[in-house]
Amino acid sequence: MMSVSPAVTPEPVDLPYFPDPVGPAGKIGLITLATDFNSEDDLRGILPADVRLFTTRIENANPITVENLRAMAADLPRAAKTLMPGFGVDVVIFGCTSGTAVTGSDKIADLINQGMPGVRVTNPLLASELALRAVGARKIAIVTPYLAEVTRSVADGFIAKGFDATRLMGFGLDSDLDMTALPPSALLEAALKVDTPDADAVFISCTAIRSAEIAAEAEKKLGKPVITSNQALIWHALHLLGYDKPVKGFGTLFDHAPQPKE
């Protein structure tokens, strides 16, 4: 192994350059679960190149049950403090649909703002609600990877906002690893299976599954909008940033602007 002689003095590089901006169009912070295998890859796959994603993780435990989902919310203020301390981000995403459903969207935002005061916050339930309104959907068919009680909690979250659920289906999984292992082809078939003639749109729940990549294909086959958790999160976060460049390949949602909340 070569070594540097103590007699060699470090020199300055002394080259002119202009610093490249980091995330010139915006910086998004993601608070995801300690056991999440998918969100970072999925979200970065949708994000435009001039927006950067920075991640931290929240304590949680498998199995994914209502009780365990509710318990993890207490760690949100701590997790928020670890997102680019001293620099901050423009928008914070909480990356758990079912966790938002059992804790409540407003409570999630309050807890994150305890750790990062004043930052704009979105979550999959809020983003998907706004996305469904943007595409004109009132009646929705919902498919999830979850156990029945968790699927029910997500549906109840939408019903509380004035939506009608025409059909609910779940894969019955309680582990993040098993959820991420669901093949996109199976998610596509599930989206086709859960649809009902009276549904205005299909919603595919969960940030841990790879559903964003099949949203556009599912829309073509169904002839109606398909909203997924991660797709809706990026759509809403970009609007919070004021981002107005086109995003292609992830469904017709990106052709719409958010409607005012009712």
Side-chain angles (χ1 to χ4, degrees):
M1 179 181 293
M2 296 180 64
S3 61
V4 178
S5 168
V8 177
T9 303
E11 302 172 61
V13 174
D14 197 23
L15 291 173
Y17 69 93
F18 294 100
D20 283 336
V22 177
K27 301 175 185 64
I28 297 174
L30 168 65
I31 300 176
T32 190
L33 308 191
T35 57
D36 188 298
F37 286 82
N38 180 66
S39 291
E40 290 142 309
D41 287 344
D42 225 25
L43 295 171
R44 286 195 177 101
I46 307 170
L47 268 182
D50 52 355
V51 180
R52 291 286 296 272
L53 185 76
F54 303 92
T55 307
T56 191
R57 290 184 175 248
I58 186 175
E59 286 189 46
N60 77 294
N62 281 307
I64 303 299
T65 62
V66 168
E67 292 75 16
N68 282 345
L69 289 167
R70 188 174 288 121
M72 71 183 177
D75 193 40
L76 277 170
R78 178 209 61 82
K81 289 179 183 177
T82 70
L83 274 172
M84 306 303 289
F87 298 95
V89 294
D90 302 301
V91 175
V92 172
I93 286 171
F94 176 54
C96 184
T97 318
S98 52
T100 303
V102 302
T103 300
S105 184
D106 290 342
K107 181 65 173 177
I108 292 292
D110 288 343
L111 290 167
I112 290 173
N113 282 146
Q114 287 178 27
M116 188 178 282
V119 72
R120 291 167 290 182
V121 178
T122 189
N123 62 66
L125 205 61
L126 171 61
S128 298
E129 174 200 344
L130 295 173
L132 289 164
R133 295 194 193 285
V135 300
R138 288 288 184 177
K139 296 181 178 180
I140 56 175
I142 301 173
V143 63
T144 85
Y146 316 130
L147 299 172
E149 65 168 351
V150 180
T151 298
R152 182 75 250 179
S153 71
V154 170
D156 288 344
F158 284 108
I159 292 168
K161 297 296 184 179
F163 294 92
D164 293 325
T166 64
R167 192 176 189 185
L168 307 177
M169 298 183 73
F171 280 88
L173 304 177
D174 66 0
S175 162
D176 283 296
L177 177 59
D178 293 338
M179 293 178 189
T180 302
L182 278 171
S185 58
L187 296 170
L188 175 61
E189 290 304 312
L192 304 182
K193 185 175 182 179
V194 77
D195 182 41
T196 61
D198 57 337
D200 302 314
V202 169
F203 174 62
I204 308 176
S205 181
C206 192
T207 58
I209 61 176
R210 294 171 289 161
S211 56
E213 63 190 79
I214 59 93
E217 184 177 357
E219 286 188 338
K220 291 178 182 177
K221 290 180 179 292
L222 291 170
K224 63 183 63 175
V226 174
I227 304 300
T228 80
S229 292
N230 284 335
Q231 166 220 44
L233 276 172
I234 291 299
W235 170 81
H236 188 214
L238 290 177
H239 279 289
L240 290 174
L241 288 173
Y243 193 90
D244 58 3
K245 298 176 186 176
V247 176
K248 300 296 184 182
F250 297 94
T252 56
L253 172 61
F254 288 94
D255 299 330
H256 297 269
Q259 302 299 310
K261 289 184 68 176
E262 299 180 356

